[in-house]
Amino acid sequence: MKELKDIVAAFEKAQLQGQQTALATVVLVEGSAYRRPGARMLITEDGQLTGAISGGCLEGDALRKAQQVMFRQQAMLVTYDTTDEDDAKLGVQLGCNGIIHILIEPVVPTAPNHPIQLLKACLQQRQTSVLATLFSLEDKKGIQPGTVLLLSQHSVQKNSFFSNVEWPDNTLLQDAQEALRTQLHVTKQYTYTHTFTAFIEVVHPAPALIIFGAGNDAIPLTALAAVLGWETTVVDGRPSYATPLRFPQAGKVLVSRSEQALSQVVIDDRTAVVLMTHNYNYDLAMLRQLLPLELPYIGSLGPKKKLDRMLDELRAAGITITPEQLQKVYGPTGLDIGAEGAEEIALSVMAEIKAVLSNRSGAPLRDKDTPIHAPRVPHNGEPAVLH
């Protein structure tokens, strides 16, 4: 999601400068590659790149192709085959073992629902959306429709190509609705005068992080969250601590008593919370309110004895704590990486939150006996999601 935010910002800057732009999207990968379908990069006519479609090996050639796209105002599908010696001779040398298809489409600001406009609309709504990108593998020199559809729970936005085509049985829209329901990316083929392939992509909103505590150790946590593009809120009862001056990278900084805090924040299934006020009673009051909510992550800074004591006090007060509620509480918060100091602790905490949100173990990749981007294992009845 951070990549999409950066791309939209770069596009708006280019518009102010009167520059043409093109959007490159990885739409299909056969085998292994550094980036997966859905990776994007914006290219301006003066050669500025925002985002990434590889580890750096494709960007130079994609820039040259994008300049052609901007000049001709016609989308282009480019294929890089790591098993092809000619690609190596051209200097691509991906070092992977797959075939990568990249769609490069011109961004026409006057066109209705152009690709960046659809990306921007996707960012403006804090809900899971589906983007559909159409391309032709059969006729790479023919029509390449590009980003044609944005679907969310309450709206559908189509570009001019999609609106002007009478799809048989409206199958593409129906498949997008199914992807939204199952939360699964899918690639399918459709025939309308030409055969097109569609990459139907599920796009989740950026994670939200709520930090209860505005001490010095919360500062690097908000900074790291900002680097990742997460939406961050800092809450504390001390007005001298909870100030925008101390937390310039936080989206919101709130001064609030514990009993009023939750009424001032928005919480959903992509929200993680860390309790680090260093005030036992404040953390206890927040834990009491947070446990019944459907949060994926509640982190408690400090020793395990502190968390055990808080849980015991809540039980003694007659509060039932279910195994499901306990499973989402992490204390001490963070992965065991030998962290010392606020910055390293922040790294440990953010890594654990990311692992939990992605349903990953946080173990070394070298110990993984399946592909890095294998479907994550579903839990609690949820569908698997391809990353």
Side-chain angles (χ1 to χ4, degrees):
M1 189 58 69
K2 170 83 163 48
E3 188 169 69
L4 298 188
K5 291 180 181 178
D6 292 343
I7 285 173
V8 170
F11 170 76
E12 292 176 345
K13 181 179 178 181
Q15 286 300 288
L16 292 175
Q17 297 172 343
Q19 292 199 58
Q20 294 188 69
T21 58
L23 181 68
T25 305
V26 178
V27 290
L28 181 64
V29 173
E30 303 169 63
S32 63
Y34 184 81
R35 297 298 307 270
R36 305 302 296 170
R40 290 177 173 84
M41 180 175 73
L42 185 79
I43 304 103
T44 63
E45 62 179 283
D46 68 349
Q48 296 297 312
L49 307 178
T50 303
I53 52 174
S54 74
C57 41
L58 296 182
E59 278 68 8
D61 189 68
L63 169 59
R64 291 187 288 272
K65 299 290 196 306
Q67 289 170 337
Q68 297 176 36
V69 166
M70 285 183 272
F71 177 75
R72 299 172 182 170
Q73 288 296 287
Q74 183 175 338
M76 175 190 302
L77 184 68
V78 185
T79 299
Y80 298 97
D81 187 346
T82 64
T83 64
D84 188 341
E85 292 184 0
D86 286 340
D87 274 356
K89 291 175 184 176
L90 288 170
V92 175
Q93 299 175 340
L94 297 179
C96 302
N97 188 25
I99 302 172
I100 304 163
H101 303 274
I102 296 174
L103 181 68
I104 305 175
E105 50 188 318
V107 183
V108 183
T110 57
N113 289 329
H114 59 74
I116 302 300
Q117 190 172 326
L118 292 180
L119 294 184
K120 187 174 182 179
C122 183
L123 293 171
Q124 289 173 339
Q125 48 194 0
R126 186 163 177 81
Q127 55 182 295
T128 300
S129 305
V130 171
L131 283 166
T133 304
L134 274 180
F135 54 98
S136 175
L137 287 170
E138 288 191 352
D139 185 8
K140 293 184 180 179
K141 294 184 179 180
I143 298 173
Q144 302 291 345
T147 310
V148 299
L149 171 70
L150 171 64
L151 171 72
S152 63
Q153 186 175 355
H154 303 294
S155 67
V156 180
Q157 297 183 49
K158 310 171 184 178
N159 78 347
S160 56
F161 179 89
F162 192 102
S163 300
N164 293 333
V165 170
E166 295 181 4
W167 296 94
D169 302 321
N170 216 15
T171 48
L172 178 55
L173 180 57
Q174 292 171 3
D175 288 337
Q177 292 169 336
E178 180 66 9
L180 185 62
R181 186 189 69 81
T182 63
Q183 307 284 284
L184 280 170
H185 306 319
V186 65
T187 300
K188 285 195 170 186
Q189 284 194 336
Y190 304 88
T191 300
Y192 176 79
T193 64
H194 296 79
T195 297
F196 294 110
T197 302
F199 171 51
I200 302 174
E201 173 190 10
V202 179
V203 182
H204 297 284
L209 175 63
I210 302 176
I211 304 169
F212 288 98
N216 289 346
D217 53 355
I219 294 174
L221 193 59
T222 60
L224 188 51
V227 169
L228 297 176
W230 293 15
E231 300 175 8
T232 308
T233 301
V234 177
V235 187
D236 199 297
R238 300 167 292 181
S240 60
Y241 279 69
T243 68
L245 186 62
R246 281 170 50 78
F247 295 93
Q249 294 174 297
K252 292 181 182 178
V253 181
L254 304 174
V255 179
S256 177
R257 298 168 61 90
S258 58
E259 60 269 24
Q260 300 166 341
L262 290 188
S263 65
Q264 301 178 61
V265 298
V266 177
I267 290 179
D268 57 28
D269 60 1
R270 297 279 291 168
T271 301
V273 172
V274 178
L275 303 175
M276 52 189 306
T277 64
H278 300 284
N279 180 320
Y280 179 84
N281 290 326
Y282 197 114
D283 283 357
L284 177 63
M286 293 314 309
L287 183 61
R288 179 173 188 160
Q289 298 174 69
L290 292 168
L291 278 173
L293 304 180
E294 294 185 2
L295 286 165
Y297 185 97
I298 302 171
S300 174
L301 187 71
K304 192 174 187 302
K305 287 183 179 180
K306 172 193 169 186
L307 175 60
D308 290 341
R309 179 186 168 191
M310 288 195 294
L311 293 171
D312 287 343
E313 283 198 34
L314 293 177
R315 293 188 183 99
I319 296 173
T320 300
I321 303 174
T322 67
E324 291 76 19
Q325 290 173 338
L326 274 180
Q327 193 171 13
K328 65 188 179 185
V329 180
Y330 296 78
T333 182
L335 296 180
D336 183 7
I337 60 172
E340 295 286 347
E343 290 76 16
E344 292 182 358
I345 292 172
L347 175 63
S348 166
V349 172
M350 292 298 293
E352 182 177 57
I353 295 174
K354 172 59 181 172
V356 169
L357 293 180
S358 301
N359 194 28
R360 302 289 185 173
S361 67
L365 287 174
R366 71 173 184 180
D367 297 336
K368 191 176 176 68
D369 55 8
T370 58
I372 294 174
H373 297 288
R376 78 173 161 83
V377 179
H379 64 95
N380 296 334
E382 69 177 3
V385 177
L386 293 175
H387 288 286

